Amino acid sequence: QAQEDEVLTVKSLLTGRIPWVTASEFVLRIVGPMFVYNFILMPLPIYLLFGAQRYKYALINLILADIVTNIHAFIAIVTNHAGDDLYRFQTSCRANTATFYLRAVVSSANFSSGTDFVDLWHGWLNYQIEHHAWPHLSMRSYQKAQPECQAICKKYGVPYVKHNVFWRLKKTVDIMVVVHESENKGEVSLRKEML
């Protein structure tokens, strides 16, 4: 129950159940500045130079671009962090330890990868396993490290999840609509599977 009280939802924001942000702070410090900048200040020169009609078109384009960008970001980021086949952990671990690297692999999923064309369309976000294991590497280094990382996981029996982006989206939606519960696979079940 304590963990649910810290999740930011519209309902929890309006009822004041979130201890780390108030509704007014959310509007004035988080959403407000972005809204004013993106939807008032950015298209303002269009209004001043070309009038209200073109300002309206610019505003519609900005809103549609924001929607498309958010959909793309959701598909590219959320889907390789969610699924009933990924592990979630309630406890932390120290960085650069065996546990850290094991968790980096079993709590993430990769999309199809390996060519510049495919990687470009994924925005190079299709190497989440390698990114979580080595967050400071370049995108090109992830491409080079991926086959080796997958081979090491196979050699030691570590689950390495790699799917098409649309399969990952389906797995994420299944959790969102509770077709599959995202079970909290933790340290104990991971140890049992690895033994």
Side-chain angles (χ1 to χ4, degrees):
Q1 178 65 31
Q3 193 176 21
E4 284 183 20
D5 290 339
E6 295 180 10
V7 175
L8 180 62
T9 63
V10 173
K11 181 180 177 183
S12 64
L13 188 62
L14 295 176
T15 58
R17 284 195 353 233
I18 303 295
W20 45 272
V21 66
T22 64
S24 61
E25 282 179 316
F26 182 75
V27 171
L28 295 174
R29 296 182 67 203
I30 299 171
V31 177
M34 184 272 309
F35 178 84
V36 169
Y37 178 77
N38 286 348
F39 303 110
I40 296 174
L41 295 178
M42 277 188 50
L44 189 59
I46 302 293
Y47 178 77
L48 297 174
L49 293 171
F50 303 108
Q53 186 66 26
R54 290 200 179 154
Y55 173 80
K56 181 176 117 179
Y57 294 145
L59 194 57
I60 290 169
N61 277 311
L62 286 171
I63 291 168
L64 290 174
D66 199 62
I67 290 168
V68 169
T69 300
N70 277 284
I71 290 169
H72 176 266
F74 175 85
I75 291 171
I77 297 168
V78 174
T79 58
N80 49 18
H81 295 88
D84 61 343
D85 54 349
L86 300 179
Y87 288 77
R88 294 182 303 136
F89 300 94
Q90 298 298 321
T91 59
S92 61
C93 68
R94 287 193 4 245
N96 303 320
T97 61
T99 301
F100 173 84
Y101 292 111
L102 182 62
R103 286 182 178 193
V105 173
V106 299
S107 63
S108 308
N110 280 1
F111 299 144
S112 302
S113 58
T115 68
D116 290 341
F117 181 78
V118 169
D119 295 345
L120 176 68
W121 282 104
H122 287 298
W124 292 84
L125 295 170
N126 47 336
Y127 296 103
Q128 287 302 304
I129 293 171
E130 291 75 20
H131 167 68
H132 288 169
W134 307 291
H136 301 295
L137 291 182
S138 69
M139 292 180 270
R140 181 76 172 137
S141 296
Y142 294 140
Q143 189 184 54
K144 290 178 179 179
Q146 187 276 325
E148 292 182 44
C149 183
Q150 188 172 6
I152 291 168
C153 290
K154 184 177 181 179
K155 179 179 178 180
Y156 292 100
V158 175
Y160 186 97
V161 179
K162 183 177 178 183
H163 293 126
N164 177 288
V165 65
F166 298 108
W167 180 252
R168 295 305 315 164
L169 178 60
K170 180 200 176 305
K171 292 186 91 45
T172 302
V173 171
D174 285 351
I175 291 172
M176 293 167 58
V177 297
V178 195
V179 171
H180 299 286
E181 293 269 342
S182 178
E183 115 184 39
N184 186 16
K185 297 178 177 185
E187 292 86 347
V188 174
S189 63
L190 180 61
R191 285 191 196 114
K192 284 180 186 174
E193 286 184 26
M194 298 302 293
L195 295 175

